[in-house]
Amino acid sequence: MTFPLPPVEWPLPDEDATVALAQRLAALVCGHAPESLPPGGRIHLRGELGAGKTSLARALLRAGGVTGRIKSPSYALLESYNVSNLYFYHFDFYRFSDAHEWRDAGFGELLADAAVVLIEWPEQAGTRLPPPDLDILLEYAGTGRRAWLSACSEKGQLWLTHLTSSRR
């Protein structure tokens, strides 16, 4: 199978729809789906400022079991969480001006397959990041948003297949 496959459009007319998508995705990345997929995976979140990247990431982290305050990693670059031995790493590369900065910061070792890795603004790292399992492009759609979900690996394709089949 050649990746990435054509993206799947996912309407997000309001915040509730964004939370619902995040909850469904969290079940897959945390290993709670009926297919018993191993937990972990990489998700890239792309889109203009204000398109909903951080909102989707926060909703996914909350649905994954993160409690307490979920901070945006805009200034710290990374926020990490541990829930029942599953690590969540939430990156924001918006402030990077050089594609090498993410690796120079020592983040490469955190991209483990057994962790859930969410990366906002992955394009700021150029081609230096490993491909995600799922790439999500968020864009404005009237008063709401629209997500374009693209599988970039076999795991991502399994997630996308499950998401689209359970949407019906």
Side-chain angles (χ1 to χ4, degrees):
M1 190 173 292
T2 304
F3 295 100
L5 298 172
V8 171
E9 181 180 2
W10 198 284
L12 300 171
D14 54 31
E15 185 178 348
D16 289 343
T18 300
V19 170
L21 172 59
Q23 290 172 337
R24 295 167 81 177
L25 191 52
L28 297 168
V29 302
C30 294
H32 302 303
E35 287 81 16
S36 297
L37 296 170
R42 290 183 298 276
I43 300 172
H44 288 181
L45 300 165
R46 298 181 300 112
E48 295 178 37
L49 281 172
K53 298 177 294 297
T54 301
S55 294
L56 181 62
R58 279 185 176 137
L60 191 150
L61 291 165
R62 184 73 61 214
V66 175
T67 58
R69 185 169 178 229
I70 298 175
K71 299 186 298 185
S72 171
S74 292
Y75 291 99
L77 305 178
L78 166 67
E79 293 294 336
S80 61
Y81 308 91
N82 181 317
V83 177
S84 299
N85 294 324
L86 179 60
Y87 286 91
F88 292 83
Y89 298 111
H90 182 193
F91 294 94
D92 186 330
F93 292 163
Y94 178 72
R95 301 199 183 290
F96 283 177
S97 58
D98 182 312
H100 292 92
E101 286 182 277
W102 77 274
R103 192 167 302 272
D104 293 344
F107 294 150
E109 62 203 38
L110 299 178
L111 302 180
D113 289 336
V116 176
V117 178
L118 307 171
I119 302 176
E120 296 185 45
W121 299 97
E123 59 274 16
Q124 296 298 94
T127 59
R128 308 235 178 340
L129 286 173
D133 294 301
L134 191 65
D135 184 82
I136 302 176
L137 171 64
L138 294 155
E139 62 184 20
Y140 292 97
T143 59
R145 306 289 187 271
R146 176 183 307 118
W148 294 95
L149 290 75
S150 299
C152 301
S153 71
E154 288 185 32
K155 181 184 271 190
Q157 183 58 47
L158 288 170
W159 291 347
L160 197 51
T161 299
H162 181 76
L163 285 169
T164 55
S165 67
S166 65
R167 179 164 75 168
R168 297 180 182 133

